[in-house]
Amino acid sequence: MLTRLKDGHVVDPANGVDAVGDLYVEDGVVVAAPGDGREAGETIDCKGLIVMAGAIDIHSHIAGGHVNTARLLLPEFHRAFQARPDATALSRVGWTTEETGLRYAEMGFTTVVEPAMAPSSALHAHLELADIPIIDKATLVVLGNDDFLMSMIRDGESQNAIEDYVAWTVSASRALGVKCINAGGSAAFKENVRKFDFDDEVPDYGVTSRRIVKTLQAAVTGLGIPHPLHVHCNNLGVPGDSAASAVATIEAAEGQPLHLAHLQFYGYGTCGERRFSSEGQRLAELVNRTKEVTVDIGQVMFGQTVTISSDELRQFVGRAQASPGKSVIFDHEANGGGVVPMDYKKSSYFNALQWAIGLELFLLIDDPSRVFFTTDHPNGAPFTAYPEIFALLMDRNVRQRWLEALPKSVLAMTTLAEITREYTLDEIATMTRAAPARLLGTPDRGHLGAGAVGDIAVYRPGADKAAMFGRAAFVFKDGTLVVKDGQVVNRTTGRTLTVRPEPDRAMARRLETYFDDRYGLPARWFEVPEHAVGQGEPFKVVACRT
């Protein structure tokens, strides 16, 4: 059936459109206006409404062992725990897979990337993702602390061989890209190292974090995987060292694409009496100069949340700050991880400055196509805080009201009060639609041109941007109406996006021997078969660049 969205204000920066007009959808995709006089079978009046493509979140922890460990660690904050009222802060965090899909859809998000999937747990992660309704999903597979890769680098194996290993891992795990988390840091942690810098060597391997990152960057680029290597830098959250690690990693890009995750957690300096200050302006200026680098922010918001990470070293060190005072740290081959609850308080100098640093980065990085909208859910805040962040970016008066509620000592350590920039609708659409689609290599989404998937979000404009983006007027997924007036009206099934680079068969044979010798298991146990995930076509293959 042909559906017409009539007289909406279409904001589609990928196609240079910012004007009132009609949009047509048929058979799940956007189509050109019919030229034969054919009438639409359904017309939806969008006069006075904002029409955008479905939003894309490139970095949100929504599935896998870490997420489930967080649920187990904090049952008192779940809705299912009846002794607590719904108003408990983490009732917004302890979602089921179903609620994850519903809450994202209600805000107009239609594609979400889980950024930290262990290769050994890929099937588990994909089974969870398949249970999330409505939205399309994708994963980034974690490499950079695994014995096989570090041994190859140490032994001077060819770049072609390393590319074959990366290709096999990405294909076997059905990932969309590669994530590197504190490269070599978890391996060093196993040898009792508690601080690991970009140029430190991993004991027993003699390879540095820098060399691991550069090797993986070259492999991802060489294989034509669209999404650049996604890097979680060294020294996350450590004043002074975190900023130095981010600077070193950005400078190591050296003209090749590289993406830095949750940059806010690296924006910490050591100035002032408390030895905690903002490096937001310095990092923003460096990103602005380094055009091959993209970043997402990891915005902190106030309230109870839980940090989950495969950065085993940093989670172990940070467990003393757990609030409430319990945590889980676990170790296994390659990256282990940790789950540490966190209560960000508006009255805390440190938490308030973290909040300000994230907004500084958002507002001081010039190009909205190179800075991405994330809270590193749930680390900085639950993704349901997104509407409030939109308001903070689009309205400096809202920012000022928040600033006035913070400790006065924070104002002296941030430039936020001086920043007058306000994001436009076009910039919001670029940052959350057009740019993420380009970064992920998914030309069928992030825009509203003919041939795009029918993922469309329609909003009621108003002065209250949080209300506007918190409850979409209409959301279509693959052309089907799934949300009306902020409520889900139809639970559809999304697919998982993946790339399938082809490794040389010799690498597959080599890995058969490796897995049998190391684990006593065949390599196929680590491959995700399509039939295990669901009915129909649960995966959609994204083309590698040639």
Side-chain angles (χ1 to χ4, degrees):
M1 180 178 70
L2 182 66
T3 299
R4 176 189 183 190
L5 279 63
K6 180 183 177 183
D7 291 337
H9 176 187
V10 179
V11 182
D12 181 16
N15 291 300
V17 177
D18 189 350
V20 174
D22 292 352
L23 196 67
Y24 291 87
V25 183
E26 187 173 31
D27 297 330
V29 299
V30 178
V31 297
D36 55 3
R38 182 163 56 107
E39 295 291 328
E42 180 183 24
T43 297
I44 296 176
D45 186 4
C46 293
K47 186 175 183 179
L49 305 182
I50 306 296
V51 181
M52 296 181 177
I56 302 170
D57 189 345
I58 69 161
H59 189 115
S60 180
H61 299 277
I62 58 173
H66 291 45
V67 175
N68 285 318
T69 301
R71 290 173 176 138
L72 292 170
L73 180 67
L74 299 165
E76 66 270 32
F77 292 122
H78 289 219
R79 286 195 179 110
F81 193 80
Q82 297 301 314
R84 293 275 181 167
D86 286 342
T88 299
L90 259 189
S91 66
R92 300 185 305 156
V93 174
W95 299 299
T96 62
T97 49
E98 180 179 10
E99 288 178 302
T100 296
L102 304 187
R103 300 293 87 78
Y104 262 115
E106 288 166 359
M107 298 187 299
F109 280 78
T110 53
T111 304
V112 179
V113 178
E114 160 54 58
M117 176 181 68
S120 59
S121 303
L123 178 58
H124 176 192
H126 281 296
L127 288 171
E128 276 199 80
L129 291 175
D131 200 45
I132 297 176
I134 302 178
I135 61 174
D136 288 339
K137 290 82 57 174
T139 65
L140 303 179
V141 68
V142 177
L143 291 173
N145 278 282
D146 44 309
D147 168 72
F148 196 88
L149 175 68
M150 290 188 295
S151 296
M152 292 181 81
I153 299 172
R154 177 196 61 202
D155 297 341
E157 296 207 31
S158 70
Q159 187 63 30
N160 285 341
I162 290 171
E163 286 183 14
D164 282 331
Y165 171 60
V166 173
W168 184 91
T169 304
V170 170
S171 295
S173 63
R174 304 265 184 171
L176 188 63
V178 178
K179 171 84 169 288
C180 186
I181 299 174
N182 193 359
S186 285
F189 176 78
K190 295 170 175 57
E191 302 297 328
N192 291 317
V193 172
R194 295 296 177 263
K195 184 178 184 300
F196 191 70
D197 293 327
F198 196 51
D199 288 304
D200 288 346
E201 289 189 351
V202 183
D204 298 332
Y205 293 94
V207 298
T208 64
S209 188
R210 180 189 297 271
R211 191 173 174 195
I212 295 168
V213 167
K214 294 296 292 178
T215 300
L216 284 172
Q217 179 195 32
V220 169
T221 304
L223 289 168
I225 295 173
H227 183 45
L229 179 66
H230 196 104
V231 180
H232 166 130
C233 301
N234 313 76
N235 293 310
L236 180 144
V238 182
D241 293 333
S242 62
S245 292
V247 168
T249 307
I250 291 170
E251 291 176 342
E254 298 177 321
Q256 294 298 313
L258 198 67
H259 180 87
L260 268 64
H262 37 68
L263 188 63
Q264 177 276 139
F265 287 106
Y266 298 93
Y268 307 158
T270 57
C271 295
E273 294 180 0
R274 294 177 174 85
R275 306 289 294 165
F276 188 74
S277 59
S278 172
E279 290 279 4
Q281 187 170 2
R282 176 191 178 198
L283 292 182
E285 290 173 353
L286 181 57
V287 171
N288 287 335
R289 294 196 305 270
T290 314
K291 304 301 184 182
E292 65 269 30
V293 167
T294 53
V295 301
D296 62 78
I297 296 301
Q299 178 65 38
V300 161
M301 297 291 277
F302 302 117
Q304 181 71 59
T305 190
V306 57
T307 65
I308 57 177
S309 177
S310 296
D311 191 341
E312 182 180 5
L313 190 162
R314 293 308 317 154
Q315 289 294 79
F316 175 82
V317 174
R319 74 197 189 286
Q321 301 174 16
S323 178
K326 52 183 175 177
S327 60
V328 175
I329 307 295
F330 45 91
D331 185 30
H332 55 69
E333 205 277 330
N335 290 85
V339 176
V340 181
M342 192 68 61
D343 188 3
Y344 294 109
K345 297 181 183 297
K346 191 178 294 187
S347 59
S348 163
Y349 167 84
F350 299 97
N351 297 162
L353 192 53
Q354 288 178 287
W355 171 87
I357 290 167
L359 292 174
E360 282 183 325
L361 290 165
F362 267 124
L363 295 162
L364 293 175
I365 294 174
D366 297 331
D367 186 353
S369 70
R370 294 177 49 232
V371 56
F372 294 89
F373 190 91
T374 68
T375 60
D376 189 18
H377 164 82
N379 290 283
F383 69 77
T384 45
Y386 287 1
E388 291 180 302
I389 304 172
F390 284 126
L392 288 163
L393 295 177
M394 299 182 75
D395 191 335
R396 60 182 175 179
N397 292 323
V398 172
R399 293 200 296 271
Q400 186 59 38
R401 289 196 294 271
W402 282 57
L403 278 166
E404 289 170 356
L406 302 183
K408 300 302 180 185
S409 54
V410 171
L411 301 182
M413 302 302 294
T414 175
T415 63
L416 186 58
E418 304 163 16
I419 301 173
T420 60
R421 179 183 179 186
E422 295 177 327
Y423 268 69
T424 65
L425 283 172
D426 186 83
E427 288 175 322
I428 292 293
T430 296
M431 179 171 60
T432 59
R433 274 86 174 169
R438 186 164 58 248
L439 186 77
L440 298 175
T442 52
D444 64 341
R445 62 199 64 218
H447 69 98
L448 296 173
V453 292
D455 292 0
I456 304 167
V458 182
Y459 301 101
R460 288 188 174 84
D464 187 342
K465 303 304 182 190
M468 172 181 166
F469 285 105
R471 289 172 54 85
F474 304 102
V475 178
F476 296 83
K477 181 73 188 77
D478 294 315
T480 298
L481 181 66
V482 293
V483 171
K484 184 176 181 180
D485 295 327
Q487 297 293 320
V488 171
V489 295
N490 193 0
R491 288 170 171 79
T492 60
T493 300
R495 291 190 290 176
T496 297
L497 310 177
T498 179
V499 291
R500 300 300 300 272
E502 289 293 331
D504 188 274
R505 291 183 180 180
M507 178 55 65
R509 292 193 295 270
R510 181 176 171 182
L511 287 169
E512 280 286 353
T513 301
Y514 177 82
F515 284 119
D516 184 55
D517 290 345
R518 189 169 185 87
Y519 304 115
L521 296 170
R524 69 177 182 274
W525 280 41
F526 298 89
E527 299 177 7
V528 179
E530 187 160 337
H531 63 79
V533 177
Q535 301 291 327
E537 298 179 1
F539 294 100
K540 180 175 182 178
V541 176
V542 174
C544 288
R545 295 193 174 101
T546 57

